[in-house]
Amino acid sequence: MSYTTYQNFIGGEWIPARSGKTLLNLRPADHRDVVGAFPSSGAEDVALAVAAAKKAFATWRLVPAPKRAEILMRAGLVLQQRKEQYAREMTREMGKVLAETRGDVQEAIDEAFYVAGEGRRLFGQTTPSELANKFAMSVRMPVGVVGMITPWNFPMAIPSWKLFPALVSGNACVIKPAEDTPLSTYNLVAALVEAGLPAGVVNIVCGLGPDAGAPLVEHPDVRAISFTGSSEVGSLVAQRAAATFKPVSLEMGGKNAQIVMDDANLELALEGALWGAFGTTGQRCTATSRILLQKGIAQQFTGEFVARAGKLKVGNGLDEATEVGPQVNQSQIETSTRYVQIALAEGAKLLTGGKALTDAGYQGGTFFAPTVLGGVRPAMRIAREEVFGPVVSLIEFDTFEEAIEIANSIDYGLSTSLYTKDVNRAYVAMRDLEAGITYINAPTIGAEVHLPFGGVKQTGNGHREGLGSIDFYTTWKAVYVDYSDKLQRAQIDNAE
């Protein structure tokens, strides 16, 4: 079988990994289809990429921010023109259905247009000085070379969330895409290059986390790290970055709850639960993995939800009729299978699904049936640990206060959802749910690029994508201009 062999993108040139080794990018719907071979890079490759970024940074930082923004605007237009092509290539390498990969590319387009506007809004502050004839202000400065490690589930949207604000701020970047989905990052960077991005400002190094990701985090010339992935790996990234005092932006796991009250619009709640639980095949940090049901509607909701989940069409994401695509690889299938077994051993009831699909039509791919578990108690592992698959737990509760307590009882705090017609409860939920995102009468997925995205507790370390991302990719510099033509001593002179 023929396939394309890709190389690292370093200093504007295509360069193979020093090892000469490659990693095969397999199509999740059919592992016999090889999307391409990508470099299996190591520390030497990372060092080359960082050196190229450092060199490019010297001139890129001097380009006026509005001019940098124009490149992002043009990149967004390129992405618009190639949306369908890039969406289909993403479905082929990642698996999720075309409607979702089109949305993934659209997120990158939206991010390009949104961040392009920031080129004229990198505001600082002016403030009165405490001394006469002295001017005081603060300005934003780029960080320098930024390392980025991105996941496979949103292989164009998430890189755009990181690259675009970093670039408009004047930084140079080295990005390591997930080994399961590197092509979409290549396509994103291709749009930037076509839009006029200078050589070396963005560099791509492909490879495994320990081989390429770790050296990127530890490189002394990398001034900041942006990471999206699991909480376990994020903890390691933070620890390694701390050795050289690098700031780190971490966006990690979730175990998100949708709360459905007795007074909810049940049809709306059912539709939201199906989309939240099984969209992206459950492989998203904001997926609805817990549905909390008030006992008055629990039986009715459960019956309808299980029936609809069992009818979802699972298959090739390139088929427009498919509603749930494959899981990205065999490891994810094994994780979903293991957690179903753990849940059953702890006393949960399997209401539908619960197994890999291997019948005719699924052979060669990594498919898992949409799975609903009933009788789940808040202390069970299935109710507390991230599965990252099409597996959802149903938990019943009596009172609104109990629902809030259950929702908050986990180590994660990314997204939450409440379905109710009671406006008072809605505002209490917005205040009391421990999460970076709360939806009212909407599912736990649906973030928009111009709002802050991220979470609390083991979901993140306080930084945000979207609104607030510029704060991570810039540093503050205080500037004083003394036009008194004499020595003035701040604080000392002011006290006299």
Side-chain angles (χ1 to χ4, degrees):
M1 180 183 295
S2 63
Y3 52 82
T4 302
T5 298
Y6 295 84
Q7 298 177 327
N8 289 324
F9 187 61
I10 298 176
E13 298 181 358
W14 298 104
I15 301 173
R18 288 295 185 92
S19 68
K21 298 178 181 179
T22 58
L23 301 168
L24 293 183
N25 181 7
L26 304 179
R27 180 182 172 195
D30 186 349
H31 286 190
R32 296 165 295 186
D33 179 14
V34 179
V35 177
F38 289 82
S40 181
S41 305
E44 286 184 290
D45 306 293
V46 170
L48 286 173
V50 173
K54 185 177 180 180
K55 180 180 178 182
F57 172 68
T59 52
W60 177 246
R61 70 184 182 88
L62 301 178
V63 175
K67 296 298 182 183
R68 298 194 295 254
E70 288 175 9
I71 294 175
L72 296 182
M73 178 64 74
R74 290 197 294 270
L77 295 173
V78 172
L79 291 171
Q80 274 189 330
Q81 296 168 0
R82 298 183 184 161
K83 180 177 178 178
E84 186 66 16
Q85 173 195 340
Y86 287 170
R88 288 184 172 276
E89 291 179 355
M90 189 187 302
T91 292
R92 187 178 170 215
E93 76 164 349
M94 187 269 164
K96 61 185 176 183
V97 299
L98 275 172
E100 293 194 52
T101 54
R102 289 172 183 139
D104 200 306
V105 180
Q106 186 62 49
E107 284 245 353
I109 295 167
D110 294 342
E111 181 76 4
F113 294 162
Y114 168 62
V115 174
E118 296 302 297
R120 295 182 183 274
R121 289 193 294 266
L122 291 176
F123 299 135
Q125 296 175 320
T126 60
T127 185
S129 170
E130 64 187 41
L131 299 177
N133 299 318
K134 185 178 179 182
F135 182 78
M137 63 180 174
S138 60
V139 296
R140 291 183 181 271
M141 304 294 290
V143 172
V145 177
V146 180
M148 299 171 173
I149 300 172
T150 58
W152 46 260
N153 58 337
F154 285 85
M156 185 173 286
I158 291 178
S160 77
W161 295 353
K162 299 180 185 300
L163 284 172
F164 293 173
L167 292 174
V168 82
S169 300
N171 301 288
C173 307
V174 178
I175 185 167
K176 191 204 85 64
E179 56 268 23
D180 286 298
T181 56
L183 180 58
S184 293
T185 297
Y186 276 66
N187 287 339
L188 179 67
V189 174
L192 285 166
V193 172
E194 185 170 329
L197 189 73
V201 176
V202 172
N203 306 271
I204 307 173
V205 178
C206 290
L208 301 174
D211 300 332
L216 182 60
V217 172
E218 295 169 352
H219 197 289
D221 288 334
V222 173
R223 297 296 181 86
I225 293 290
S226 181
F227 169 86
T228 299
S230 71
S231 298
E232 292 77 12
V233 176
S235 176
L236 294 175
V237 168
Q239 292 175 54
R240 293 193 176 191
T244 49
F245 305 103
K246 289 182 179 66
V248 179
S249 173
L250 300 175
E251 201 285 293
M252 301 177 290
K255 191 68 178 176
N256 312 292
Q258 173 180 312
I259 301 170
V260 184
M261 302 299 296
D262 284 347
D263 68 339
N265 179 332
L266 282 193
E267 180 61 27
L268 183 64
L270 283 162
E271 291 176 353
L274 286 167
W275 171 229
F278 304 121
T280 324
T281 320
Q283 299 173 127
R284 57 198 301 166
C285 54
T286 55
T288 304
S289 53
R290 297 180 296 158
I291 302 176
L292 279 52
L293 303 171
Q294 196 162 24
K295 289 183 178 178
I297 50 87
Q299 183 176 354
Q300 181 183 353
F301 184 100
T302 298
E304 281 285 334
F305 183 70
V306 170
R308 296 188 192 191
K311 293 178 182 177
L312 290 171
K313 180 176 173 53
V314 181
N316 177 6
L318 290 172
D319 181 349
E320 296 278 7
T322 296
E323 297 172 287
V324 179
Q327 293 209 253
V328 74
N329 55 37
Q330 184 59 33
S331 177
Q332 294 301 126
I333 292 287
E334 293 168 0
T335 297
S336 295
T337 302
R338 184 173 70 254
Y339 269 101
V340 170
Q341 294 170 347
I342 290 170
L344 297 180
E346 290 187 333
K349 297 177 182 178
L350 180 63
L351 303 181
T352 190
K355 63 180 180 179
L357 299 176
T358 57
D359 302 340
Y362 299 115
Q363 295 170 346
T366 43
F367 296 92
F368 199 87
T371 299
V372 181
L373 294 162
V376 175
R377 299 185 302 277
M380 290 180 177
R381 288 181 62 186
I382 194 64
R384 309 186 67 81
E385 299 176 15
E386 187 175 42
V387 179
F388 226 65
V391 180
V392 64
S393 301
L394 305 184
I395 303 172
E396 297 185 14
F397 66 89
D398 288 306
T399 67
F400 175 64
E401 292 73 20
E402 183 186 359
I404 297 292
E405 182 180 353
I406 294 170
N408 290 342
S409 66
I410 57 168
D411 293 330
Y412 300 106
L414 180 52
S415 186
T416 48
S417 165
L418 173 68
Y419 281 80
T420 184
K421 295 176 183 176
D422 188 328
V423 67
N424 293 340
R425 283 177 176 162
Y427 275 89
V428 170
M430 287 187 279
R431 182 193 66 191
D432 290 350
L433 286 171
E434 296 171 356
I437 307 167
T438 295
Y439 296 89
I440 304 300
N441 294 325
T444 61
I445 60 179
E448 301 180 30
V449 299
H450 56 291
L451 272 75
F453 182 90
V456 298
K457 299 190 281 190
Q458 290 188 20
T459 289
N461 63 341
H463 296 289
R464 292 291 184 268
E465 313 277 14
L467 181 65
S469 59
I470 297 294
D471 292 332
F472 180 73
Y473 294 112
T474 57
T475 60
W476 285 109
K477 175 181 279 190
V479 179
Y480 302 94
V481 180
D482 193 321
Y483 53 97
S484 69
D485 207 26
K486 65 179 181 180
L487 173 64
Q488 297 194 92
R489 298 170 298 174
Q491 300 168 341
I492 296 175
D493 284 352
N494 186 47
E496 293 176 355

